[in-house]
Amino acid sequence: MIATPPPARPHTRASLAAQFHDLGVRPGGVLLVHAALRPLGFVCGGPQALVLALRDVLGPDGTLVVPTHTPENSDPAGWNNPPVPADWWPVIRAEMPGFDPALTPSRFMGTLAEQVRTWPGALRSDHPQVSFAALGPAAGRIVADHTLTDMLGEGSPLARLHDLDADVLLLGVDHGSNTSLHLAEYRWPAAPRARVGSAVLTGDGGREWVWWDDVDLDESDFARLGADFEATAAVRVAAVGDGPGRLMRQRAAVGFAVEWLARNRRTEEA
């Protein structure tokens, strides 16, 4: 097996910022980032350098946003990676700590998301499963009043990003990680619904398990949806570090996805 030679020099805050600028990240804009660092190769300073580079390009008027989801705070009856025994389910529902925006770490969102979540001045929405963290002048508007029901719909930070004409940047990941496409599911008539549960904090300092009805989220076809969207030339693709960077306007992605879902998914009535 032939080893891949290392890059000529390490990727740095300055070199990453230059790549973000060339890719088209807008100074003063609002940017939702989904990232996996490993495909980017060696980054001197890791996720801290990546945040600094993004903020260098966004500037003082720009706002950086990341998903800080907590999918383990969900009904264990639906867990499959791995599943847990059925006799554990009531224990988990009774004992799972209530979601605390200040304390509960994100899960499966990557080290960049955790770096932003814990950055001084960052704000986080208070949804127990699909919170977002933001850093910059528009952070308060983006994360405020995240509704429990329709959690990635019109009462979510995704809709506020849509209002603000945000960009979406995928670093080292494909459209299977493009959370904004879920907003299209909420704008797609007759989307399937499901019962959802989480542990939340109560006003008296306790916790409780709550249930609600929501869209049955499904990203299984997002990679195919994203490939079709890229075929329209609406996504700018270029190297970031050693990996791929994909930059798009969120409104364009969501608008395309609404029409794509109507053509390619069956509704409950169909």
Side-chain angles (χ1 to χ4, degrees):
M1 180 177 178
I2 300 175
T4 302
R9 62 190 303 272
H11 305 299
T12 66
R13 172 181 177 176
S15 68
L16 291 170
Q19 289 180 309
F20 292 139
H21 178 271
D22 292 344
L23 185 58
V25 171
R26 294 184 286 166
V30 177
L31 183 68
L32 172 61
V33 182
H34 301 271
L37 263 66
R38 183 172 296 178
L40 307 187
F42 181 83
V43 174
C44 181
Q48 179 185 2
L50 189 57
V51 172
L52 291 169
L54 287 163
R55 298 195 77 196
D56 287 343
V57 179
L58 288 168
D61 297 327
T63 300
L64 176 61
V65 187
V66 293
T68 52
H69 300 176
T70 47
E72 78 283 3
N73 189 0
S74 62
D75 181 17
W79 294 359
N80 53 32
N81 189 28
V84 294
D87 59 352
W88 290 20
W89 299 351
V91 178
I92 291 170
R93 292 175 189 138
E95 299 296 338
M96 177 71 70
F99 174 77
D100 186 329
L103 297 178
T104 307
S106 62
R107 190 86 185 272
F108 309 123
M109 298 292 105
T111 56
L112 176 70
E114 276 294 276
Q115 186 76 66
V116 173
R117 182 186 74 82
T118 58
W119 200 274
L123 302 177
R124 188 184 192 185
S125 69
D126 62 359
H127 196 281
Q129 279 189 25
V130 291
S131 64
F132 291 79
L135 187 61
R141 176 178 175 184
I142 291 166
V143 305
D145 303 321
H146 192 167
T147 58
L148 182 67
T149 60
D150 289 338
M151 57 188 178
L152 292 176
E154 303 308 323
S156 77
L158 290 181
R160 303 294 74 75
L161 292 168
H162 195 276
D163 295 341
L164 293 166
D165 192 21
D167 293 322
V168 175
L169 176 61
L170 306 179
L171 291 177
V173 298
D174 64 17
H175 293 273
S177 299
N178 192 347
T179 304
S180 291
L181 301 180
H182 285 303
L183 181 58
E185 292 188 291
Y186 286 84
R187 297 180 176 182
W188 171 49
R193 311 283 295 189
R195 189 180 188 225
V196 183
S198 283
V200 301
L201 297 178
T202 58
D204 59 2
R207 52 81 66 198
E208 65 178 346
W209 186 269
V210 297
W211 296 100
W212 71 94
D213 180 69
D214 216 311
V215 165
D216 190 6
L217 301 173
D218 178 11
E219 63 275 1
S220 63
D221 54 3
F222 280 5
R224 185 162 59 95
L225 190 168
D228 289 348
F229 180 53
E230 289 193 19
T232 70
V235 181
R236 299 188 67 172
V237 182
V240 175
D242 296 338
R246 293 176 167 86
L247 183 71
M248 67 212 78
R249 300 294 270 269
Q250 194 218 39
R251 287 178 179 174
V254 172
F256 180 89
V258 169
E259 296 182 1
W260 191 95
L261 292 173
R263 293 193 306 270
N264 292 278
R265 280 193 189 175
R266 294 173 60 86
T267 65
E268 290 182 323
E269 289 80 11

